[in-house]
Amino acid sequence: MEFRTKVAIGRADFTIPPCEKMLFVGSCFADRIGRKFQEDKFRAIVNPYGVMYNPASILHTIEKCGQAPHVAVLTLGTNHVYLLKSTNEIVDNCQKRPQHLFLERELSIEECMTHLSNAVEILTHRYAHVKVIVTVSPIRYAKYGYHESQLSKATLLLATNQLVESYPQVSYFPAYEILNDELRDYRFYQEDMLHPSDQAVEYIWECFSKMYFGDDTLAFLKEWKPIKEALGHRPFHPESEEYKQFMNKTMLKVSALSEKYPNFAL
């Protein structure tokens, strides 16, 4: 008997090599996943101008940052945007200015698609072989109301589907479906009952690994894991000879890993 509805995770038509040059832009979910890539020594830049929730703001970050990643991960949170009334321009951050200066509205599927297409075009112009992974954040927005939050997610999902069908370099990763369909239990959420728990993020990371990592990356991560744990160890007596020998052995392993993977760096 099956006691949960599992999301089918296929293999992507490309793999992410060890220590790859990556860019993560999007919601706070992008922050959490992006940090895991940084911890595992991918050359990842995560939200260089802060968290961005909607497709327009994600585009603004890509326009400003000038990065040419080999893999970009865009995590969409909402289709709600804020316009500065005096200019009618979409702002990425209200910067604690009074609410009456702004107008909130929702982007249509077509508008979301336009902003995302522009982002893909810019990234492709900077690096012709770029791969773009798009995902919809599984975090619900209680402030809109749960029905409105679902409508927002549906808009993003429809726009994302159009994007994947229009650009061969774009793929979709089902983080939204994994949390909401497969991990349908409040034990996989934080205390606010909205954000995924550490355990849920770890599971989503494992699903991502199955979809996008090849044997070379999995081998690197297996070698890096005990070194990462050793470097993170906090001894009671850091001045002891035993600990110094332990660290010397660890740094020799780091050197060996650097020789094996040229893009690796602490």
Side-chain angles (χ1 to χ4, degrees):
M1 296 177 66
E2 289 286 346
F3 291 99
R4 60 176 177 157
T5 52
K6 290 204 69 173
V7 176
I9 302 294
R11 293 285 298 170
D13 61 0
F14 68 95
T15 58
I16 302 174
C19 311
E20 182 61 292
K21 187 178 182 181
M22 302 181 71
L23 174 66
F24 290 80
V25 183
S27 69
C28 50
F29 182 72
D31 264 0
R32 296 189 70 183
I33 292 294
R35 282 197 298 271
K36 290 189 69 64
F37 275 83
Q38 289 177 329
E39 291 168 3
D40 283 328
K41 295 305 170 185
F42 291 84
R43 293 172 293 162
I45 294 174
V46 181
N47 280 333
Y49 299 104
V51 172
M52 300 293 164
Y53 295 99
N54 64 78
S57 295
I58 288 173
L59 171 60
H60 294 164
T61 290
I62 290 171
E63 288 174 330
K64 289 189 295 183
C65 74
Q67 295 293 319
H70 294 181
V71 179
V73 182
L74 312 181
T75 301
L76 314 177
T78 179
N79 69 330
H80 286 241
V81 297
Y82 290 89
L83 288 77
L84 186 63
K85 290 180 181 179
S86 60
T87 63
N88 205 39
E89 293 179 341
I90 295 174
V91 297
D92 303 327
N93 191 316
C94 295
Q95 299 176 332
K96 298 183 179 180
R97 287 175 287 181
Q99 186 175 353
H100 68 82
L101 296 177
F102 301 94
L103 174 68
E104 182 182 1
R105 77 172 184 88
E106 300 167 35
L107 298 176
S108 66
I109 297 170
E110 292 72 23
E111 288 174 314
C112 290
M113 174 62 177
T114 297
H115 292 306
L116 293 171
S117 296
N118 289 340
V120 172
E121 294 286 355
I122 291 170
L123 291 167
T124 304
H125 177 73
R126 292 176 183 165
Y127 179 68
H129 303 293
V130 69
K131 299 297 183 182
V132 180
I133 300 169
V134 183
T135 189
V136 173
S137 169
I139 300 169
R140 294 170 295 160
Y141 290 88
K143 67 177 182 178
Y144 301 147
Y146 295 120
H147 178 64
E148 289 77 7
S149 178
Q150 289 292 83
L151 292 176
S152 175
K153 299 293 185 182
T155 299
L156 297 174
L157 288 166
L158 288 167
T160 297
N161 192 60
Q162 289 185 16
L163 191 74
V164 171
E165 291 178 349
S166 301
Y167 292 92
Q169 65 268 51
V170 178
S171 69
Y172 175 72
F173 175 69
Y176 179 84
E177 292 80 359
I178 292 170
L179 187 62
N180 289 287
D181 294 327
E182 187 170 342
L183 305 182
R184 283 187 295 171
D185 192 302
Y186 282 118
R187 68 192 171 101
F188 295 115
Y189 290 82
Q190 295 182 23
E191 291 180 357
D192 64 1
M193 298 293 117
L194 297 172
H195 290 75
S197 66
D198 291 343
Q199 186 182 34
V201 171
E202 186 65 31
Y203 181 77
I204 292 171
W205 160 263
E206 290 177 6
C207 293
F208 191 99
S209 302
K210 291 176 183 177
M211 188 167 179
Y212 293 106
F213 291 169
D215 291 340
D216 56 343
T217 304
L218 295 175
F220 167 79
L221 293 175
K222 185 176 181 179
E223 291 181 71
W224 165 242
K225 183 179 179 181
I227 298 174
K228 178 173 68 172
E229 291 173 349
L231 292 171
H233 177 65
R234 294 292 178 266
F236 289 111
H237 304 290
E239 72 286 349
S240 67
E241 189 62 32
E242 182 181 8
Y243 179 69
K244 290 177 182 178
Q245 291 178 6
F246 170 78
M247 285 306 300
N248 286 336
K249 290 180 181 179
T250 299
M251 294 312 296
L252 287 174
K253 293 178 182 178
V254 169
S255 297
L257 205 61
S258 299
E259 291 180 8
K260 189 172 181 180
Y261 301 96
N263 290 323
F264 170 79
L266 283 181

